[in-house]
């Protein structure tokens, strides 16, 4: 009987990390109960109702204020972060529980510090290393790049296995931290489950939307590249092609700069920002958009293009990193720094219904490559290799 642990650090119901945690949970729940016992470790009580009944659930409080202070102190005086690994178990109740468990292997899906704060055999996900490859962005400044480098170096040193989303992701880990390639396992993302359980609603009445619009679901980080998209909308407007753009995302990070640029180009009538939207609302936006424009500058791969393909939404996608492989012929690809190229792609898809139909069909075919059953099988194979 193999005993597998999973540490759920992601906050339930929020973001791509949460969706990835759900994919890992589904994979573990598919394992034969006669051969595997699953232990789930978590701090947020909301996970309790989201976990299968046969999982052994271990809920404990977050580390104390004293622990957090000592942890910060150790990291300040110890440049290798060894202080955290040596002393975490003393102050961190979750680390003690994981270390004392009888797990043969613990999975850390959220690239959390617990991956090296504990001493048990582990497999840890590294979603991206963009702080090294796109370190010029504001979100990686003020010591963030150095901190992340230290963090991922420790993950690579103390994890028996590393999960990545793509071959480019694997190359990045090898280049950055000199990790043995046999230690790295490629496990592509799968589309979030919530889309399969969502229902279409009347978003036109709910948000007073125009009949025809393009859609970009992304938080307002600089690397999400809203600026290029807004400039492309402006370029088209100057050619008397009025495009309606719908954005979603919290009003933080680079949001104020996006608003300023919309105002600078007099696009207030063309661009509508909805803020946070529910699962049914985002599903309905995908279902009714002329296209989803994914203009991000970073990767290696991303979940929104998969969501678009699953929902039958024509896709215009950045060619950054591994996204051409991720989307195949299901997207119009463009250089995310090329405003004119993006404007041309938008005009093509805005005016050509047959092109939209072709992309939808190609998307339905491509998304079949990313299914939960393959994800489950591959994860079990990786587990068996490690234990």
């Amino acid at each position: 009987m193999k005993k597998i642990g999973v540490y759920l650090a992601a906050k339930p119901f929020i973001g791509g990390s949460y969706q990835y945690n759900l994919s890992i949970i589904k994979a573990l729940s598919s394992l034969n109960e006669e051969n595997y016992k699953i232990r789930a470790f978590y701090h947020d009580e909301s996970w309790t109702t989201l976990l299968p009944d046969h999982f052994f659930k271990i809920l404990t409080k977050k580390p104390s204020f004293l622990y957090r202070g000592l942890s910060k102190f150790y990291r300040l005086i110890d440049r290798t972060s060894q202080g955290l690994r040596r002393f975490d178990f003393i102050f961190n109740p979750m680390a003690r529980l994981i270390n004392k468990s009888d797990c043969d292997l613990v999975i850390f899906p959220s690239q959390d510090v617990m991956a090296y704060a504990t001493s048990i055999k582990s497999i840890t996900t590294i979603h991206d290393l963009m702080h090294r490859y796109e370190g010029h962005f504001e979100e990686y400044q003020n010591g963030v790049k150095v901190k992340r480098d230290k963090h991922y170096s420790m993950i690579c040193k103390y994890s028996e296995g590393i999960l990545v989303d793509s071959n480019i992701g694997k190359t990045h880990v090898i280049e950055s931290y000199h990790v043995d390639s046999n230690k790295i396992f490629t496990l592509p993302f799968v589309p979030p489950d919530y889309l399969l359980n969502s229902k279409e609603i009347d978003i036109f009445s709910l948000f007073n939307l125009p009949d025809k619009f393009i859609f970009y679901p992304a938080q307002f980080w600089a690397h999400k590249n809203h600026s290029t998209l807004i400039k492309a909308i402006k370029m088209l407007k100057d050619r008397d092609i009025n495009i309606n753009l719908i954005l979603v995302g919290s009003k933080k990070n680079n949001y104020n700069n996006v608003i300023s640029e919309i105002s600078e180009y007099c696009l207030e009538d063309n661009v509508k920002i909805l803020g946070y939207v529910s699962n049914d609302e985002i599903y309905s936006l995908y279902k009714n958009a002329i296209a989803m424009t994914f203009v991000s500058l970073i990767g290696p791969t991303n979940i929104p293009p998969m969501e678009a393909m699953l929902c039958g939404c024509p896709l215009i996608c950045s060619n950054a990193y591994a996204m051409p492989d991720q989307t195949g012929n299901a997207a119009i690809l463009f250089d995310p720094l090329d405003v004119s190229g993006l404007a041309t792609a938008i005009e093509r898809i805005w005016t050509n219904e047959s092109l939209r139909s072709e992309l939808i069909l190609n998307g339905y075919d491509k998304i079949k490559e990313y299914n939960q059953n393959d994800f489950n099988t591959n994860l079990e194979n990786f587990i068996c290799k490690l234990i």
Side-chain angles (χ1 to χ4, degrees):
M1 177 72 71
K2 298 168 184 173
K3 302 175 183 67
I4 309 299
V6 57
Y7 175 62
L8 304 171
K11 191 172 182 179
F13 313 113
I14 296 178
S17 180
Y18 162 67
Q19 297 296 340
Y20 183 79
N21 275 249
L22 289 181
S23 298
I24 294 290
I25 288 169
K26 286 193 73 173
L28 294 176
S29 68
S30 74
L31 297 174
N32 189 323
E33 292 181 45
E34 294 183 1
N35 298 328
Y36 296 91
K37 283 188 177 180
I38 311 300
R39 284 143 171 71
F41 302 89
Y42 53 98
H43 298 296
D44 194 310
E45 194 171 357
S46 302
W47 280 112
T48 302
T49 57
L50 297 169
L51 293 168
D53 291 338
H54 69 276
F55 279 29
F56 187 72
K57 304 172 182 69
I58 302 117
L59 169 68
T60 190
K61 62 183 180 180
K62 289 186 177 181
S64 66
F65 178 78
L66 173 63
Y67 159 71
R68 293 195 297 270
L70 288 170
S71 174
K72 185 176 181 179
F73 172 73
Y74 286 132
R75 277 178 278 181
L76 284 172
I77 65 173
D78 189 330
R79 293 181 180 232
T80 65
S81 292
Q82 290 286 353
L84 179 63
R85 184 168 174 84
R86 288 194 192 114
F87 300 106
D88 197 273
F89 73 94
I90 299 174
F91 307 105
N92 188 333
M94 182 62 82
R96 288 200 302 273
L97 284 171
I98 293 174
N99 282 343
K100 290 180 179 179
S101 74
D102 58 353
C103 291
D104 299 299
L105 180 75
V106 177
I107 300 171
F108 295 96
S110 300
Q111 49 193 28
D112 191 81
V113 296
M114 199 73 78
Y116 50 86
T118 52
S119 57
I120 206 160
K121 182 181 286 190
S122 65
I123 183 168
T124 306
T125 301
I126 292 181
H127 292 297
D128 71 78
L129 296 175
M130 290 296 110
H131 67 285
R132 293 182 66 90
Y133 293 87
E134 300 288 349
H136 57 279
F137 284 114
E138 183 181 353
E139 44 265 39
Y140 301 132
Q141 304 304 310
N142 300 318
V144 171
K145 183 180 183 297
V146 173
K147 182 179 178 182
R148 289 195 181 191
D149 239 5
K150 202 180 290 186
H151 171 61
Y152 289 116
S153 176
M154 291 288 285
I155 284 177
C156 291
K157 182 175 182 178
Y158 288 107
S159 297
E160 277 71 23
I162 303 293
L163 294 176
V164 295
D165 67 337
S166 61
N167 289 332
I168 288 181
K170 181 174 183 176
T171 299
H172 285 178
V173 173
I174 294 170
E175 285 179 347
S176 299
Y177 303 113
H178 311 292
V179 179
D180 183 345
S181 62
N182 294 318
K183 183 178 174 176
I184 308 171
F185 306 111
T186 302
L187 188 65
F189 295 140
V190 292
D193 222 22
Y194 80 88
L195 290 172
L196 302 175
N197 302 315
S198 296
K199 61 180 181 179
E200 191 171 349
I201 60 176
D202 182 6
I203 53 166
F204 294 97
S205 297
L206 180 63
F207 296 118
N208 190 28
L209 299 184
D211 292 338
K212 196 174 179 181
F213 64 89
I214 61 174
F215 173 47
Y216 184 31
Q219 293 293 343
F220 292 98
W221 293 105
H223 68 253
K224 293 300 184 181
N225 198 28
H226 290 82
S227 179
T228 296
L229 180 54
I230 290 165
K231 288 173 183 173
I233 300 298
K234 167 62 174 172
M235 183 177 288
L236 290 167
K237 187 173 184 177
D238 289 344
R239 290 170 13 203
D240 293 325
I241 303 170
N242 274 291
I243 306 294
N244 302 304
L245 169 64
I246 306 301
L247 303 175
V248 298
S250 303
K251 296 179 180 181
K252 57 183 181 180
N253 305 318
N254 201 44
Y255 173 81
N256 289 335
N257 290 333
V258 173
I259 292 295
S260 295
E261 201 159 20
I262 292 170
S263 176
E264 177 186 349
Y265 295 133
C266 301
L267 294 176
E268 290 90 345
D269 292 337
N270 297 84
V271 183
K272 191 179 185 72
I273 300 177
L274 305 183
Y276 172 81
V277 291
S278 69
N279 289 349
D280 287 344
E281 289 163 356
I282 199 165
Y283 173 73
S284 302
L285 288 165
Y286 276 122
K287 294 295 289 184
N288 289 280
I290 289 295
M292 195 273 270
T293 50
F294 193 76
V295 299
S296 177
L297 291 161
I298 73 167
T301 64
N302 288 275
I303 289 177
M306 307 182 79
E307 294 179 331
M309 291 187 285
L310 183 68
C311 293
C313 181
L315 179 60
I316 299 170
C317 189
S318 160
N319 66 4
Y321 295 99
M323 285 188 280
D325 290 336
Q326 186 184 28
T327 60
N329 65 351
I332 299 176
L333 296 170
F334 73 100
D335 179 342
L337 294 176
D338 181 3
V339 175
S340 178
L342 175 55
T344 298
I346 293 172
E347 182 179 3
R348 285 182 63 201
I349 211 164
W350 188 262
T351 58
N352 191 333
E353 186 175 354
S354 63
L355 174 60
R356 297 198 298 268
S357 298
E358 179 184 346
L359 290 172
I360 289 170
L361 292 176
N362 291 346
Y364 284 146
D365 285 339
K366 184 65 177 178
I367 202 64
K368 293 175 184 176
E369 298 177 16
Y370 308 105
N371 63 80
Q372 186 69 44
N373 287 337
D374 288 345
F375 187 96
N376 300 350
T377 300
N378 288 331
L379 183 61
E380 181 175 12
N381 289 338
F382 301 153
I383 289 170
C384 290
K385 285 181 181 179
L386 291 174
I387 59 175

